[in-house]
């Protein structure tokens, strides 16, 4: 499995927040829900995204925006529209004075807005817990990115939009999986359509030396790797492999492996049924103490503390 496939295997929505917003100007939504990842697709009409400290971006029909939290941003009919609606943690919707708008703006099953016939319709999906997404994937994404209609496979949005209006048995789980697929499609196309967007580890996957080396590490992360054993498996000298890691990835091979192991450990620690000892074994540490020492050295907190923060 390549690195990107491994990270995209991570999104697992569980009771994600999904909504169709139908709006007539003037409208402006201040998104300050601190969610780790959100996606918005314009079905009809247009919208402007105004990230903190960045230039506004216009969205047209079929365009998708992916936002990585917890930084706030605004979505509005115009880039200079003052926020009228505030989306707070837990998806609580209020006006500027803090009065609830949840009942006032409800338009039916998973639909919301200020006009049921509004010119603009936006489908949004929000992962409200970091448990659902790989931390490494989140770190690889910009605060906000946009894919235009022709830049990604948005066919799933039609299905998602239609299913959001239904209220069948098992519908929440069905919608969660559809949201996962939409997010995977958007992130995959973001990385693959423009090499300059992708992080170094993604570009390294196509390197004739680093590509095989990275796949070996990712496929057998718990193996007691050394630079020598990795170089022998790839069929190059230790010096040549070390140079490629430093040149392309900007760090030594064993430092990269440590980061890979601790990223995986951080994800596994979200699983309440896995003991810290079991996590240590899965990521190549001989004992919980060894994992704890490495985890605290690199991340500044113990595995137990990390588990408590993300649980």
């Amino acid at each position: 499995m390549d690195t990107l496939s491994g990270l995209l295997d991570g999104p697992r929505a569980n009771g994600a927040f999904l909504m169709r917003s139908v709006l007539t100007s003037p409208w402006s939504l201040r998104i300050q829900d601190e969610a780790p990842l959100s996606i918005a697709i314009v079905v009809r009409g247009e919208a402007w995204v105004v990230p903190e400290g960045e230039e506004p971006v216009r969205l047209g029909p079929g365009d998708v925006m992916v936002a990585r939290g917890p930084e706030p941003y605004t979505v509005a009919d115009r880039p200079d529209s003052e926020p009228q609606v505030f989306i707070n943690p837990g998806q609580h919707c209020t006006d500027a004075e803090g009065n609830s708008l949840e009942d006032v703006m409800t338009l039916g099953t998973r639909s919301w807005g200020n006009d049921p016939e509004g010119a603009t319709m936006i489908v949004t999906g929000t992962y409200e817990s970091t448990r659902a997404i790989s931390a490494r994937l989140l770190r690889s994404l910009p605060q906000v990115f946009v894919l235009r209609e022709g830049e990604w496979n948005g066919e799933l949005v039609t299905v998602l939009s239609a299913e959001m209006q239904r209220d069948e048995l098992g519908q929440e789980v069905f919608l969660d999986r559809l949201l996962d697929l939409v997010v995977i499609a958007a992130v995959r196309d973001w990385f693959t359509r423009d090499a300059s967007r992708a992080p170094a580890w993604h570009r390294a996957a196509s390197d004739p030396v680093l590509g095989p080396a990275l796949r070996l590490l990712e496929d057998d992360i718990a193996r007691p790797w050394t630079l020598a054993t990795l170089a022998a498996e790839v069929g190059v000298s230790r010096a040549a492999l070390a140079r490629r890691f430093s040149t392309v990835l900007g760090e030594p091979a064993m430092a990269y492996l440590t980061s890979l192991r601790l990223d995986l450990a951080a994800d596994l620690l979200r699983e309440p049924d896995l003991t810290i000892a079991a996590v240590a074994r899965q990521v190549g540490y001989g004992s919980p103490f060894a994992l704890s020492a490495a985890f605290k050295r690199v991340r500044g907190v113990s595995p137990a503390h990390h588990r408590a923060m993300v649980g």
Side-chain angles (χ1 to χ4, degrees):
M1 182 182 290
D2 62 86
T3 304
L4 183 57
S5 293
L7 294 183
L8 292 179
D9 189 46
R12 290 288 186 275
N14 183 13
F17 180 80
L18 284 153
M19 185 66 69
R20 292 166 66 252
S21 299
V22 189
L23 302 154
T24 290
S25 294
W27 60 271
S28 179
L29 315 176
R30 180 64 171 171
I31 314 299
Q32 51 191 31
D33 56 6
E34 302 179 3
L37 190 70
S38 297
I39 188 167
I41 307 102
V42 176
V43 178
R44 66 172 186 254
E46 71 169 22
W48 285 84
V49 181
V50 188
E52 288 286 280
E54 298 184 22
E55 291 297 313
V57 180
R58 179 188 175 277
L59 301 177
D63 294 346
V64 60
M65 175 209 72
V66 178
R68 171 183 53 79
E71 293 81 3
Y73 56 95
T74 299
V75 182
D77 60 339
R78 296 172 52 88
D80 56 354
S81 293
E82 287 294 322
Q84 303 163 333
V85 177
F86 295 79
I87 311 299
N88 302 298
Q91 303 304 316
H92 297 302
C93 172
T94 66
D95 62 17
E97 285 72 41
N99 301 307
S100 175
L101 297 174
E102 293 169 19
D103 293 333
V104 176
M105 300 185 73
T106 296
L107 298 178
T109 303
R110 302 183 190 88
S111 293
W112 176 95
N114 62 8
D115 180 359
E117 304 300 325
T120 297
M121 179 187 292
I122 304 172
V123 169
T124 57
T126 300
Y127 292 78
E128 298 187 86
S129 168
T130 55
R131 293 174 64 89
I133 312 151
S134 165
R136 193 173 185 215
L137 177 59
L138 288 175
R139 291 202 310 272
S140 301
L141 299 176
Q143 180 188 348
V144 170
F145 73 79
V146 172
L147 286 168
R148 301 302 176 185
E149 181 182 16
E151 292 183 323
W152 76 298
N153 180 6
E155 294 177 358
L156 288 167
V157 175
T158 303
V159 180
L160 179 63
S161 182
E163 289 294 334
M164 285 171 64
Q165 300 175 69
R166 302 178 64 185
D167 196 12
E168 307 289 340
L169 291 174
Q171 193 70 4
E172 295 295 336
V173 175
F174 187 54
L175 289 171
D176 282 347
R177 297 295 77 78
L178 276 175
L179 175 61
D180 290 339
L181 291 173
V182 172
V183 169
I184 289 168
V187 172
R188 180 188 60 191
D189 288 351
W190 167 259
F191 280 153
T192 57
R193 286 186 176 274
D194 186 344
S196 66
R197 297 169 173 171
W201 52 258
H202 182 61
R203 298 193 298 272
S206 59
D207 184 275
V209 173
L210 284 184
L214 296 184
R215 285 190 289 274
L216 284 167
L217 295 179
E218 290 153 5
D219 289 345
D220 196 1
I221 196 171
R223 181 174 168 179
W225 291 104
T226 65
L227 183 62
T229 58
L230 184 59
E233 290 277 3
V234 177
V236 298
S237 69
R238 287 191 300 171
L241 185 61
R243 281 195 301 271
R244 295 306 293 163
F245 266 92
S246 295
T247 302
V248 179
L249 287 171
E251 62 180 333
M254 294 301 102
Y256 178 86
L257 176 59
T258 296
S259 297
L260 195 65
R261 285 172 166 168
L262 296 182
D263 282 340
L264 178 57
D267 290 340
L268 292 174
L269 286 166
R270 299 168 180 168
E271 302 299 328
D273 295 335
L274 279 179
T275 65
I276 294 177
V279 171
R281 287 194 299 273
Q282 288 194 37
V283 300
Y285 287 92
S287 68
F289 177 80
L291 172 62
S292 183
F295 204 94
K296 192 166 186 178
R297 182 180 70 251
V298 173
R299 292 178 170 258
V301 297
S302 68
H305 189 187
H306 173 82
R307 168 168 276 173
M309 291 190 300
V310 301

